[in-house]
Amino acid sequence: MILAGLVFLTPSAVAVAFAVLIPVAAFVLAERRVSVVRRTLMLQAPRGGVDVAALASLVAVVLLLALAAAQPALSSTESQRVRTDAQVLFVVDVSQSMAAAGRRDGATRLDRARAAAIRLRSLVPGLSSGVATLTDRVLPNLLPVPDAAAFDATVNQTLAINQPPPRELNVRATNFGALSSIPASGYFDDSATHRAVVLLTDGESAFFEPTAVARALGVTPRTNFVAVQFWRRNESVYKASGKPDPNYRSDPASKATLASLAAATHGQAFSEDDLAAAAAALRAHLGSGPTRAMGTTRTTHPLGPYIALLALIPLGLVFTRNLRFKR
């Protein structure tokens, strides 16, 4: 069910329109009195008098701009239905290698992973989703919730390189073997019989045993696995000086490493450019199930910019009449 209505985000701006209308109204009233006196004395109106059309156009410009400043918006409220038997945990790799980028000021792998997590979450609505970080351990940031705004805020505000840091100082901090701890760590509600882990990583991991992860995720109720890789061949980790960190070497075998993990867990791995396919695979793994109403989602569509553009029409009429008068 969707309820929609018109709201003003800054209604106090409408006072600007009244402040302009008061002197305009006074001017019009004075002109009417002058016209009465002129007719009584049988005097002709002066040439080049008040251009009523131009005045009306200027008033329209001010009114429209004041209305735009009030920020009108169409607000809609939609009741949210959420699966009661399915939950998703987005596990984001925050090791040092996720700071790699194609150039010094380019988007890092972690930047792209953040955006992809939010995009994937929007492609699978109606699912309670949580966030966790991965280095050589998995730690929770947000347990699965139906609130998309809470999920987005957690992704944007809490995910950072080496936050939290790995337990051990190694050349390669990421270890996919840590995923084995998820099923027994209470990330999912007992009612969630359909579970999935979405791993967002560059695929660069220390040695681990894929079959051990598969056994852990295969415990009833099964935890399905989908991975999205953020890796490009010419990326480097840059120091504060802007120079590439000589201690980092990209791993060309990362794609094969991630593919072996996906194969062992009967999951799937995708590139960052194929999020639609990753979302389709996630929906296929979780199937369908019962839902219940759980809160509402409010959406606003600003109208101010369109009204401000509409003010250009009467403004154009003023300039057009002015050019004609000069000619």
Side-chain angles (χ1 to χ4, degrees):
M1 180 179 178
I2 301 177
L3 299 177
L6 182 65
V7 296
F8 292 90
L9 303 181
T10 53
S12 58
V14 177
V16 176
F18 290 102
V20 173
L21 287 178
I22 291 174
V24 171
F27 176 78
V28 172
L29 182 60
E31 281 295 314
R32 290 187 62 183
R33 290 179 177 178
V34 170
S35 298
V36 171
V37 173
R38 189 182 296 118
R39 287 195 300 271
T40 303
L41 299 177
M42 293 182 291
L43 299 175
Q44 291 184 351
R47 296 183 61 185
V50 177
D51 190 339
V52 178
L55 180 62
S57 297
L58 287 174
V59 171
V61 170
V62 173
L63 290 176
L64 288 171
L65 291 179
L67 182 59
Q71 298 188 69
L74 284 177
S75 176
S76 61
T77 302
E78 182 178 3
S79 60
Q80 186 179 11
R81 299 199 66 85
V82 181
R83 286 272 300 274
T84 58
D85 66 334
Q87 292 183 343
V88 183
L89 181 67
F90 287 78
V91 180
V92 184
D93 185 350
V94 294
S95 61
Q96 187 63 38
S97 64
M98 290 293 286
R103 59 180 188 276
R104 176 186 176 184
D105 57 348
T108 66
R109 293 171 181 172
L110 182 57
D111 291 334
R112 300 183 331 248
R114 287 195 200 98
I118 293 174
R119 175 61 177 159
L120 274 173
R121 168 67 177 78
S122 69
L123 292 175
V124 287
L127 293 173
S128 293
S129 301
V131 183
T133 58
L134 170 69
T135 50
D136 57 358
R137 53 181 173 168
V138 177
L139 293 174
N141 294 60
L142 176 72
L143 294 179
V145 294
D147 189 350
F151 178 89
D152 294 352
T154 300
V155 169
N156 286 324
Q157 298 173 17
T158 68
L159 298 184
I161 297 297
N162 285 334
Q163 296 297 325
R167 287 177 297 189
E168 299 179 3
L169 184 62
N170 294 314
V171 175
R172 183 162 294 169
T174 305
N175 192 317
F176 292 155
L179 297 171
S180 301
S181 66
I182 291 177
S185 297
Y187 287 94
F188 301 101
D189 291 341
D190 292 339
S191 61
T193 55
H194 295 76
R195 306 175 178 184
V197 164
V198 178
L199 175 63
L200 299 101
T201 178
D202 54 16
E204 298 181 354
S205 172
F207 175 78
F208 71 103
E209 183 54 58
T211 55
V213 178
R215 283 194 300 270
L217 297 185
V219 173
T220 304
R222 176 181 175 76
T223 303
N224 297 282
F225 180 78
V226 174
V228 180
Q229 185 179 24
F230 302 83
W231 189 92
R232 292 169 185 162
R233 184 174 298 277
N234 297 323
E235 291 180 321
S236 299
V237 174
Y238 291 89
K239 292 182 168 182
S241 62
K243 296 181 179 180
D245 187 347
N247 296 319
Y248 172 72
R249 293 286 187 274
S250 62
D251 183 6
S254 58
K255 185 175 182 179
T257 300
L258 205 54
S260 67
L261 176 59
T265 58
H266 302 287
Q268 292 168 275
F270 301 88
S271 74
E272 60 184 290
D273 299 320
D274 207 3
L275 293 182
L282 183 58
R283 288 192 294 267
H285 282 305
L286 297 177
S288 60
T291 63
R292 66 184 176 97
M294 189 177 294
T296 58
T297 301
R298 185 174 181 179
T299 306
T300 56
H301 302 281
L303 301 177
Y306 304 104
I307 296 176
L309 287 174
L310 190 62
L312 294 176
I313 297 176
L315 187 61
L317 293 176
V318 173
F319 284 112
T320 302
R321 293 182 67 85
N322 188 36
L323 289 176
R324 288 179 180 174
F325 177 76
K326 289 182 177 180
R327 289 176 182 173

